Amino acid sequence: MINHGRMGSAQDFFGQLWKEYALSDSRYLTSDTLVLCMETITVIIVCMAHLYGDTLYFATSIYDDHAHERPYCRPEPFYFWVYYFGMNFIWIVVPAIYLYQSMKAISYAMKKAEKISQSLKSE
């Protein structure tokens, strides 16, 4: 959740939606650890599903091309590399970036929670 620190003061459409939702649960405006972890895990799940779908997209197309000689792309290199590969590969890169960021955020939150837990135990 990259933008959680600015949502309280955001005046754009998503900021207003975020604040409207926070009327029912104020933790969404306070960068609450539970909300950060929960929403980050949600992003991970969506990213993983998208990466799975893209893998199937490429794998089944390659299989059909080689096993059944049924290509789904024009044979010219431009169409293959720019349209088929390039335009679809973006949808692997973007979710992978979000997946990485989410894993970092979860790790940070877990370390912070562990520190708090240890400090409470030592008191």
Side-chain angles (χ1 to χ4, degrees), residues 1 5 15 25 31 34 43-45 54 75-76 79 93-94 96 105 118:
M1 302 256 309
D25 187 346
S31 298
L34 168 75
V43 171
I44 284 181
I45 291 168
D54 287 334
E76 298 89 351
Y79 289 104
V93 172
V94 171
Q118 287 176 353

Side-chain angles (χ1 to χ4, degrees), residues 7-119:
M7 294 310 282
S9 62
Q11 297 299 314
D12 61 1
F13 178 72
F14 291 110
Q16 295 302 317
L17 280 177
W18 193 266
K19 286 184 270 192
E20 188 66 28
Y21 187 76
L23 292 173
S24 68
D25 187 346
S26 63
R27 294 178 293 179
Y28 278 82
L29 282 178
T30 61
S31 298
D32 181 74
T33 304
L34 168 75
V35 172
L36 289 174
C37 287
M38 180 183 64
E39 294 299 336
T40 302
I41 289 170
T42 301
V43 171
I44 284 181
I45 291 168
V46 171
C47 288
M48 292 295 289
H50 208 303
L51 291 171
Y52 174 74
D54 287 334
T55 301
L56 283 178
Y57 176 82
F58 281 117
T60 56
S61 179
I62 290 168
Y63 175 78
D64 280 345
D65 189 16
H66 291 292
H68 304 295
E69 296 180 4
R70 191 175 356 163
Y72 295 111
C73 179
R74 294 178 56 108
E76 298 89 351
F78 174 80
Y79 289 104
F80 177 80
W81 289 108
V82 174
Y83 289 137
Y84 177 76
F85 183 79
M87 296 296 185
N88 289 296
F89 191 71
I90 291 169
W91 299 112
I92 292 175
V93 172
V94 171
I97 289 169
Y98 283 121
L99 180 62
Y100 175 75
Q101 289 174 343
S102 298
M103 289 170 42
K104 276 180 46 176
I106 289 172
S107 176
Y108 174 77
M110 296 303 286
K111 288 176 186 174
K112 193 172 183 179
E114 181 66 27
K115 272 186 177 178
I116 292 169
S117 175
Q118 287 176 353
S119 68

